[in-house]
Amino acid sequence: MSLLTVRGLTVAFRAINHDVPVVAGLDFDLPRSGALGIVGESGSGKSMTSLAIMGLLPAGATRTGSIVFDGTELTALPERRMRAIRGDRIAMIFQDPLSSLNPYYTVGTQIAEAYRAHRSGVSRKTARKVAIEAMERVHIRDAARRVDDYPHQFSGGMRQRVMIAMALSTEPELIIADEPTTALDVTVQAQILELLAEVRRDTGAALILITHDLAVVSEVADHLLVMRRGEVVESGTAAQVFSDPRHAYTRALLDAVPRIDDTIGELRST
Ligand SMILES: Nc1ncnc2c1ncn2[C@@H]1O[C@H](COP(=O)(O)OP(=O)(O)O)[C@@H](O)[C@H]1O
Ligand SMILES: [Mg+2]
């Protein structure tokens, strides 16, 4: 049985006298410990897909279709039970770690309290230990000291590591990362992707990696969905889609992405 089975997922925004679909009949399966990449240009419905799975759609958006996580139909789940899954069995990592972290609390407090929110009865002391271990797992050096630092004392890449540590603390079965490297420098992007791949290997968590960069995702994901205007235009193994794209849109996406080696080539020739 798949960890996640999505059938006919549609997300629509209510307009004055009709609904505007931004995700239109999405189907996919994600096996346990699998890694699915969702690619597509900006506005293609990638974020609405992940928010629909998390039950976090903005006001005015409605979702229909079926989302089955580990045998449970999420679309039928009362919010109280969804809250127990969200941030615990399904964790989410967003593009901008700064806006997801509270500037007034140390990162350790934020990881520990997020953990305690899902583990009633766990002491502050134990949660702090969990926070330090999670920070070590994402290779934040000197974690036992850094746990008491505030978000602004970390670089962008290190803040994203903190967010991944927070996601990992509850040992989720599924991690959804929505453009987790878009706000970062190219070299740091590669490190964060490598970390996500490592986390998946070591913990066995399944991963949905959302990005507009086809090259980025094909390094980490086994399967790819290419989305355009809310629909899947192409899907297959990462190797297939990347090396032999069937759809003109996928080829255009590939061409639109500057390669690091191209950039180096350009730098050399100037
Ligand atoms: N609050 C909103 N009201 C109306 N339309 C929205 C809202 N949020 C997003 N959309 C529309 O939904 C579509 C899909 O958005 P999104 O899933 O965020 O795209 P992506 O993540 O692929 O860039 C876009 O066309 C966007 O304009
Ligand atoms: Mg998005």
Side-chain angles (χ1 to χ4, degrees):
M1 189 182 64
S2 288
L3 178 66
L4 185 71
T5 305
V6 172
R7 290 290 177 272
L9 177 65
T10 294
V11 176
F13 280 97
R14 193 142 307 140
I16 311 239
N17 46 27
H18 64 295
D19 284 350
V20 182
V22 294
V23 176
L26 207 63
D27 298 322
F28 68 85
D29 291 277
L30 179 63
R32 272 173 209 288
S33 305
L36 174 74
I38 303 181
V39 258
E41 64 190 355
S42 171
S44 54
K46 305 182 299 295
S47 291
M48 291 305 142
T49 299
S50 61
L51 294 174
I53 296 167
M54 296 291 282
L56 290 175
L57 284 172
T62 53
R63 94 190 149 175
T64 54
S66 165
I67 302 167
V68 176
F69 173 71
D70 192 24
T72 303
E73 176 58 70
L74 297 186
T75 60
L77 217 55
E79 173 57 21
R80 175 182 52 81
R81 286 190 55 204
M82 190 61 218
R83 223 177 288 140
I85 293 177
R86 189 192 299 132
D88 184 350
R89 300 182 62 195
I90 307 178
M92 193 148 176
I93 299 162
F94 296 95
Q95 175 176 327
D96 179 8
L98 201 49
S99 63
S100 321
L101 287 166
N102 186 323
Y104 299 111
Y105 293 95
T106 64
V107 298
T109 300
Q110 294 182 65
I111 298 171
E113 288 311 307
Y115 178 73
R116 265 156 51 89
H118 291 285
R119 297 288 181 277
S120 51
V122 166
S123 69
R124 288 215 162 75
K125 197 174 152 201
T126 303
R128 181 184 162 87
K129 236 168 73 193
V130 169
I132 294 170
E133 280 166 14
M135 287 172 69
E136 281 168 348
R137 208 148 17 127
V138 299
H139 309 300
I140 295 176
R141 240 174 270 147
D142 213 0
R145 188 178 57 80
R146 294 291 265 159
V147 70
D148 294 318
D149 282 348
Y150 291 85
H152 75 266
Q153 294 171 284
F154 291 81
S155 66
M158 282 297 153
R159 279 197 289 265
Q160 197 56 294
R161 284 178 193 267
V162 169
M163 295 311 297
I164 296 171
M166 192 181 289
L168 287 181
S169 66
T170 58
E171 296 172 15
E173 293 137 275
L174 171 60
I175 299 172
I176 303 178
D178 189 355
E179 311 244 10
T181 64
T182 303
L184 304 174
D185 295 341
V186 177
T187 48
V188 181
Q189 285 185 15
Q191 291 161 10
I192 295 294
L193 287 170
E194 174 51 38
L195 174 64
L196 283 172
E198 179 193 319
V199 156
R200 178 196 159 212
R201 263 195 323 268
D202 294 354
T203 68
L207 177 68
I208 296 179
L209 177 61
I210 295 173
T211 167
H212 56 263
D213 187 334
L214 190 49
V216 153
V217 80
S218 55
E219 307 253 321
V220 178
D222 325 311
H223 275 81
L224 293 183
L225 291 183
V226 182
M227 285 183 75
R228 184 190 197 190
R229 297 194 192 135
E231 290 179 14
V232 172
V233 293
E234 181 157 357
S235 68
T237 68
Q240 255 166 24
V241 175
F242 190 66
S243 63
D244 185 22
R246 305 268 153 204
H247 198 282
Y249 174 72
T250 310
R251 286 196 292 274
L253 273 181
L254 268 172
D255 292 340
V257 177
R259 296 276 91 71
I260 293 179
D261 4 334
D262 292 354
T263 312
I264 292 168
E266 271 166 37
L267 287 174
R268 285 210 180 111
S269 62
T270 49

